[in-house]
Amino acid sequence: MAVAGVLIAAVGALGWELHVRSRGFAPTLNDSSDLWAERREAVRPESMVIIGDSRPLFGLDLDELERGFGKRPIQLALAGSCAYPVLEHLANDETFRGTVLCGMVPGMFFAPGGPLVATSEKAIRRYQTWSPAQRAGHYLALPLEERIAFLKQDELTLAMLLKTLPIPDRPHAQVGPALPPYFNHLDRERRARMTAQAEQPGRLRDLIRQRWLPLFTPPPPPSYVPPDVFMKEMGLAMEVRMKNTVAAVAKIQARGGEVIFIRFPISGELKTLEDKLTPRRQTWDPLLQATGAAGVHFEDHPELAHFDCPEWSHLSAADSVVFTRALVPHLQRVSKFRRIAQTGGAPAPH
């Protein structure tokens, strides 16, 4: 009976593996809180750390950054997240005095709460409470995830498959916008690369594009809150986030570190939507002015502005290398650590 049970389980697993591969899935690491905690442990006092949402996760090539700065960056950006909790977390780490490259999507960075903030807080909490059992489970899972396609915690678990059922909106039960499907590979340094299927014209690319627009469109205010009151509360929430960001950046600067904000290329209807909802003059410009931090906006430089994102929101695997290579001189220009390396002098006081 034991042998029969093992054989049945093996046949079932093999069948499911072949099925998900036929649907376009391939073996890749899950971007779990454990993987994030592992990379967070690699941060040293003078590290270069990447934070933000999925755009720096896809768009920054670690090899090109290492060539430009002489140090290997630590990738801590999180898909579907708000960057502020991680920025605050690094600011509160008294040992950290390195460089923070912070990806900036205004609608996500200034989110006052909800799933975007919760995603970052979950990763930080895992790092702070990472137990030996969780650590062991993580390292045991890595070789399996690199070889088995159906081990996708964000796609192929029963709970996630149930969420794909076509359930319509009902009174007092509104169904939120669907997330994009799997379309990237992830390595052990958390470097994400878009799959070839998502880069090419076709059903997958069109599906991802269709899902960005509702995801980036804010939900309507609750019916029981007057629109003017709701807008006032949102404005106050943005003011609080701006004030807290100024304080976090100041803490890092006071220890001799620096924060550089980066606006990554976007394309198509998504760019039109973001420009309308979060115009630069109301988000990016006030942020740099208030914090005194450096910033590189892709629209300010022709060599950064010409990229066309296949699914409107992220750079392709090849373009991410070219973009990072073009970005490095701008980061060197605004980075005090590059100036120190060139001159051998001490950093200018803030």
Side-chain angles (χ1 to χ4, degrees), residues 17-340:
E17 176 73 2
L18 294 174
H19 173 69
V20 300
R21 290 194 183 218
S22 71
R23 291 177 52 193
F25 289 91
T28 186
L29 296 180
N30 288 307
D31 195 10
S32 64
S33 296
D34 291 306
L35 188 60
W36 191 92
E38 179 190 344
R39 298 311 300 150
R40 175 62 181 89
E41 285 194 337
V43 174
R44 298 294 177 261
E46 297 182 357
S47 289
M48 173 177 283
V49 180
I50 302 166
I51 68 173
D53 50 89
S54 56
R55 289 178 191 166
L57 193 66
F58 280 71
L60 289 179
D61 184 75
L62 304 185
D63 294 334
E64 292 296 332
L65 287 172
E66 185 176 19
R67 289 189 187 98
F69 288 89
K71 60 175 69 176
R72 190 75 172 172
I74 308 297
Q75 178 59 271
L76 295 184
L78 285 159
S81 76
C82 169
Y84 173 73
V86 181
L87 177 63
E88 181 186 45
H89 168 66
L90 292 171
N92 291 334
D93 181 352
E94 295 293 338
T95 68
F96 180 75
R97 55 182 183 273
T99 299
V100 178
L101 303 181
C102 182
M104 170 55 57
V105 177
M108 302 176 76
F109 187 86
F110 290 105
L116 299 175
V117 173
T119 296
S120 296
E121 292 177 341
K122 177 184 177 183
I124 295 168
R125 190 162 52 247
R126 176 67 98 180
Y127 163 70
Q128 293 171 334
T129 63
W130 210 18
S131 68
Q134 292 165 340
R135 190 186 302 267
H138 166 64
Y139 287 114
L140 288 173
L142 289 178
L144 296 176
E145 291 176 12
E146 290 174 327
R147 292 168 174 81
I148 301 176
F150 69 70
L151 295 178
K152 298 282 188 300
Q153 66 179 19
D154 293 328
E155 290 273 346
L156 297 176
T157 63
L158 178 59
M160 298 306 295
L161 289 170
L162 289 174
K163 291 181 180 180
T164 65
L165 294 175
I167 301 174
D169 286 342
R170 306 178 307 285
H172 309 296
Q174 304 300 301
V175 179
L179 296 172
Y182 150 84
F183 68 104
N184 71 278
H185 298 295
L186 195 76
D187 64 23
R188 293 201 181 194
E189 289 187 292
R190 300 189 65 256
R191 166 71 165 93
R193 290 176 172 83
M194 191 180 297
T195 62
Q197 294 91 332
E199 295 178 358
Q200 300 165 357
R203 177 182 172 277
L204 176 60
R205 192 186 70 175
D206 292 343
L207 177 63
I208 299 168
R209 287 179 174 183
Q210 293 167 9
R211 293 189 176 180
W212 287 139
L213 298 180
L215 280 169
F216 278 83
T217 301
S223 58
Y224 52 84
V225 179
D228 57 332
V229 174
F230 178 79
M231 294 306 297
K232 182 179 179 180
E233 291 177 350
M234 292 300 294
L236 291 174
M238 184 171 177
E239 289 179 12
V240 170
R241 176 57 50 77
M242 187 73 77
K243 179 181 178 181
N244 291 340
T245 301
V246 169
V249 171
K251 284 183 180 180
I252 294 173
Q253 292 174 337
R255 296 195 295 266
E258 65 180 340
V259 178
I260 303 174
F261 293 100
I262 306 171
R263 190 76 162 101
F264 286 83
I266 49 175
S267 306
E269 294 180 36
L270 181 59
K271 184 179 187 306
T272 302
L273 180 65
E274 286 196 30
D275 288 346
K276 176 183 176 182
L277 295 176
T278 54
R280 175 174 178 167
R281 67 182 182 277
Q282 296 178 9
T283 53
W284 174 264
D285 295 341
L287 176 70
L288 297 190
Q289 183 178 4
T291 61
V296 180
H297 196 299
F298 76 97
E299 290 183 316
D300 292 339
H301 311 285
E303 63 273 24
L304 303 180
H306 68 86
F307 292 92
D308 183 33
C309 300
E311 37 68 77
W312 294 343
S313 189
H314 303 90
L315 293 166
S316 68
D319 280 351
S320 68
V321 177
V322 180
F323 173 81
T324 307
R325 189 178 301 142
L327 175 68
V328 163
H330 297 288
L331 295 178
Q332 291 173 339
R333 173 176 52 83
V334 301
S335 171
K336 69 176 186 178
F337 287 109
R338 181 61 179 181
R339 292 198 295 272
I340 295 167

